Amino acid sequence: MRPYLITAKPGWLHRAAVWTGRWALRVLALAVMCGLGAVVFTIRSARPVINYCATRAAWLELWAASHTGIGPLGAALGAGLTDEFVREFHKGRARAAA
């Protein structure tokens, strides 16, 4: 309880508004945390499915390459992208340490 002068004491309407505002902020924060948790849970749950699909797509590409005689283009592009991601990751780590 804060010491107020009798004339400066906030009215019940102001106190109710402050109480309502605090609880509204708490409910909003809880809703944001639940929403972020749902997004993270969905992404983490989908990772095995994504890995399976990627493996099957790579297998399908190799199968198609063996039957058509055209080289697996996705593997060449994927290797280049992977190298670029690794370079960016190491660059970011070096900047963060400095």
Side-chain angles (χ1 to χ4, degrees), residues 84-98:
E84 185 61 32
F85 281 130
V86 167
R87 268 196 299 277
E88 285 295 320
F89 175 74
H90 287 303
K91 225 189 289 183
R93 265 190 23 191
R95 280 192 214 132

Side-chain angles (χ1 to χ4, degrees), residues 13-31:
L13 191 59
H14 182 265
R15 286 192 311 251
V18 168
W19 182 86
T20 304
R22 280 191 189 136
W23 275 101
L25 185 63
R26 289 175 183 166
V27 168
L28 178 65
L30 182 64

Side-chain angles (χ1 to χ4, degrees), residues 54-66 68 70-83 85:
T55 303
R56 297 304 291 171
W59 179 85
L60 181 63
E61 181 186 20
L62 290 176
W63 175 83
S66 70
T68 61
I70 301 171
L73 298 176
L77 294 175
L81 284 174
T82 301
D83 291 341
F85 281 130

